[in-house]
């Protein structure tokens, strides 16, 4: 805790905030059935459904990368792409 | 940072037809994710796992994953699983059953597998209905709820799967909702690593059959109901039966140790050979 506070004081971004930067949210439309679970349980109201019912990031800036949408998607169709994932060379959609 | 989706894709059989067969929003898909994450955390290899199912919407689950899998007959998952476990005790055997599958036609197999304490993890998807065949009532359909075979509402009392498992002698019993997927991951991981007969009752929703007939709304509405009606077992211990009516008691109900069937069986073989 003390370390985090010190880093914050020095103006350094803590590991957590850096890790949590969301670059994009990928929805694999071929698998998304439009059930709306990700939209309903996103704590920040990031997601919405398009005319066909597919999820998309309407308000990407608000994403806190909590991964609740990935966790509950019954169809494994949504991937939150964060900066750390990209840095680790694991960026992009889980569907390649 | 968890990498849920990517991790799951490593375990899927991509030559199967996707998206999977379940209705949009069905809890079976959420459980599939939980199961994969839990197995991944145990560190067991894909070849160490045998996933055995019966018949039902739930029975389709092993088809989609790259483990040793058996899609057997309705109610008999535990019998096939018992055979596998005794033939090759080093394998980690997991059954996936529906509430009809495990409690109605397979009810006897269930209580006796528990009593025997064979080292199998029994995961039961409890959606309170026969999903696949058109919403007939099951042994877990609550009293007063409607089903296609109970159009004037069910007049029977429902089995409480976890409590039944405890009474039947299972050494590990836990209950969790698909809403609380993270807690479900942890529970399944513990059950898989536990030696002996372990039961995970997964409270899930069939919004299409059960939900529609009982006007319970969408998958989202039924997930919210799970969220709002779950009570951790520690908290439930301090509450009255009236307060707990229609609530979902979640967590680990029992975790104990008893002699394991396949080990005892091995001792019998030794004795019969005059070696012990
Ligand atoms: C021996 C036998 N009896 C009956 C059936 C018909 N049947 C198929 S699935 C099923 C019940 C499905 O309900 P459940 O086990 O709760 O699974 P769910 O579909 O809800 O996942 C029944 C009765 C069958 N396939 N085999
Ligand atoms: S009928 Fe019910 S249990 Fe079967 S896939 Fe549809 S929602 Fe799931």
């Amino acid at each position: 805790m003390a370390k985090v506070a010190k880093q914050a004081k020095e103006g350094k971004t803590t590991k957590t905030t850096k890790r949590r930067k969301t670059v994009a949210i990928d929805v694999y439309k071929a698998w998304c059935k439009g059930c709306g679970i990700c939209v309903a349980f996103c704590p920040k109201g990031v997601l919405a459904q398009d005319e066909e019912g597919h999820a998309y990031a309407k308000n990407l800036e608000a994403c806190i990368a909590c991964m609740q949408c990935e966790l509950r998607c019954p169809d494994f169709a949504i991937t939150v792409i964060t900066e750390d994932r990209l840095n680790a060379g694991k960026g992009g959609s889980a569907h390649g | 940072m968890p990498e849920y989706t990517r991790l799951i894709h490593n375990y899927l059989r991509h030559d199967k037809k996707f998206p999977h067969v379940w209705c949009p929003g069905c809890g079976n898909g959420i459980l599939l994710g939980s199961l994969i994450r839990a197995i991944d955390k145990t560190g067991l290899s894909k070849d160490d796992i045998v996933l055995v199912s019966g018949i039902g919407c739930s029975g389709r689950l092993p088809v989609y994953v790259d483990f040793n899998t058996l899609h057997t007959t309705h109610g008999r998952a535990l019998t096939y699983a018992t055979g596998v476990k005794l033939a090759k005790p080093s394998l980690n055997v997991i059954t996936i059953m529906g509430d009809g599958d495990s409690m109605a036609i397979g009810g006897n197999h269930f209580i006796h597998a528990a009593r025997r304490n064979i080292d199998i993890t029994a995961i039961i998807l409890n959606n309170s209905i026969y999903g696949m065949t058109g919403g007939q009532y099951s042994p877990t359909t609550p009293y007063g709820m409607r089903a296609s075979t109970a159009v004037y509402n069910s007049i029977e009392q429902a089995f409480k799967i976890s409590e039944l498992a405890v009474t039947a002698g299972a050494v590990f019993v836990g209950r969790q909702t698909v809403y609380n997927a993270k807690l479900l991951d942890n529970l399944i991981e513990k059950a898989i690593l536990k030696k002996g007969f372990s039961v995970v009752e997964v409270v899930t929703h069939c919004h299409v059959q059960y939900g529609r007939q009982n006007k319970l709304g969408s998958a989202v509405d039924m997930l919210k109901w799970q969220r709002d009606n779950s009570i951790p077992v520690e908290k439930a211990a301090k509450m009255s039966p009236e307060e707990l009516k229609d609530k979902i008691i979640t967590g680990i109900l029992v975790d104990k140790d008893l002699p394991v069937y396949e080990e005892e069986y091995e001792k019998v073989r030794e004795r019969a050979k005059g070696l012990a």
Side-chain angles (χ1 to χ4, degrees):
Chain A
M1 200 56 223
K3 201 178 161 199
V4 176
K6 196 171 161 244
Q7 279 179 336
K9 220 173 149 189
E10 287 165 4
K12 280 185 199 160
T13 31
T14 62
K15 227 178 170 181
T16 342
T17 43
K18 192 178 169 212
R19 225 172 1 138
R20 290 204 161 167
K21 180 103 181 60
T22 303
V23 183
I25 294 177
D26 176 77
V27 175
Y28 188 55
K29 286 193 182 178
W31 286 21
C32 171
K33 293 174 185 161
C35 68
I37 290 175
C38 57
V39 178
F41 295 106
C42 171
K44 294 290 170 186
V46 172
L47 303 162
Q49 284 173 276
D50 65 18
E51 323 76 67
E52 287 166 354
H54 296 132
Y56 74 99
K58 196 180 177 185
N59 185 15
L60 187 67
E61 303 73 49
C63 176
I64 52 167
C66 66
M67 307 289 167
Q68 293 293 310
C69 53
E70 279 200 25
L71 185 69
R72 291 204 188 87
C73 174
D75 287 280
F76 322 123
I78 191 160
T79 317
V80 178
I81 302 168
T82 53
E83 218 158 58
D84 68 317
R85 284 185 178 185
L86 283 175
N87 291 342
K90 290 175 181 170
S93 158
H95 299 262
Chain B
M1 179 60 61
E3 298 227 12
Y4 298 135
T5 311
R6 190 174 303 278
L7 183 151
I8 284 163
H9 280 268
N10 290 339
Y11 286 87
L12 297 181
R13 286 180 175 151
H14 285 275
D15 57 334
K16 296 291 168 189
K17 193 170 177 286
F18 280 99
H20 51 55
V21 71
W22 299 311
C23 303
C26 175
N28 291 358
I30 307 180
L31 178 267
L32 176 56
S34 255
L35 176 67
I36 291 173
R37 290 188 296 268
I39 291 175
D40 189 76
K41 274 204 271 170
T42 64
L44 292 160
S45 85
K46 289 178 185 174
D47 292 341
D48 288 335
I49 305 281
V50 188
L51 212 53
V52 187
S53 71
I55 298 288
C57 295
S58 43
R60 285 290 297 174
L61 189 144
V63 172
Y64 296 113
V65 266
D66 189 20
F67 303 113
N68 301 291
T69 58
L70 281 170
H71 187 183
T72 71
T73 54
H74 191 44
R76 312 293 181 226
L78 280 169
T79 66
Y80 287 86
T82 299
V84 172
K85 187 68 192 176
L86 286 181
K88 234 170 185 293
S90 63
L91 292 172
N92 205 303
V93 183
I94 303 167
T95 61
I96 306 289
M97 299 177 283
D99 44 282
D101 204 20
S102 62
M103 292 289 117
I105 188 168
N108 244 308
H109 300 306
F110 180 77
I111 54 175
H112 290 286
R115 179 182 63 79
R116 226 175 255 144
N117 196 28
I118 185 157
D119 185 18
I120 291 171
T121 305
I123 297 176
I124 301 177
L125 279 152
N126 184 5
N127 58 13
S128 309
I129 203 94
Y130 286 7
M132 176 173 262
T133 43
Q136 296 85 354
Y137 74 91
S138 90
T140 63
T141 305
Y143 173 87
M145 298 308 272
R146 191 190 154 107
S148 61
T149 44
V151 291
Y152 298 103
N153 299 349
S154 174
I155 55 170
E156 299 179 19
Q157 298 298 320
F159 266 148
K160 291 181 175 147
I161 297 178
S162 294
E163 284 75 4
L164 178 68
V166 172
T167 309
V171 291
F172 184 97
V173 180
R175 188 194 279 119
Q176 195 48 262
T177 61
V178 287
Y179 172 79
N180 273 314
K182 201 81 205 49
L183 296 177
L184 186 58
D185 293 7
N186 299 342
L187 187 63
I188 295 174
E189 183 195 359
K190 287 201 178 89
I192 291 172
L193 294 175
K194 177 78 186 181
K195 214 163 181 194
F197 194 72
S198 319
V199 178
V200 179
E201 178 186 352
V202 182
V203 177
T204 184
H205 51 277
C206 169
H207 52 301
V208 172
Q209 297 291 357
Y210 186 70
R212 200 178 277 165
Q213 293 196 64
N214 289 288
K215 302 192 171 57
L216 300 175
S218 64
V220 167
D221 293 324
M222 292 183 79
L223 280 164
K224 284 182 181 162
W225 184 85
Q226 290 170 23
R227 178 191 66 194
D228 299 340
N229 288 281
S230 292
I231 307 216
V233 63
E234 298 78 16
K235 197 176 164 200
K238 296 182 203 120
M239 292 167 68
S240 69
E242 293 74 45
E243 287 173 311
L244 289 172
K245 197 172 173 290
D246 300 328
K247 298 291 180 204
I248 311 164
I249 301 174
T250 60
I252 298 170
L253 275 65
V254 81
D255 186 356
K256 63 180 183 184
D257 291 299
L258 284 173
V260 179
Y261 185 80
E262 62 275 16
E263 290 177 5
E264 294 300 306
Y265 188 79
E266 197 47 41
K267 287 182 204 161
V268 170
R269 290 182 49 174
E270 299 281 303
R271 285 204 288 275
K273 286 187 213 155
L275 297 172

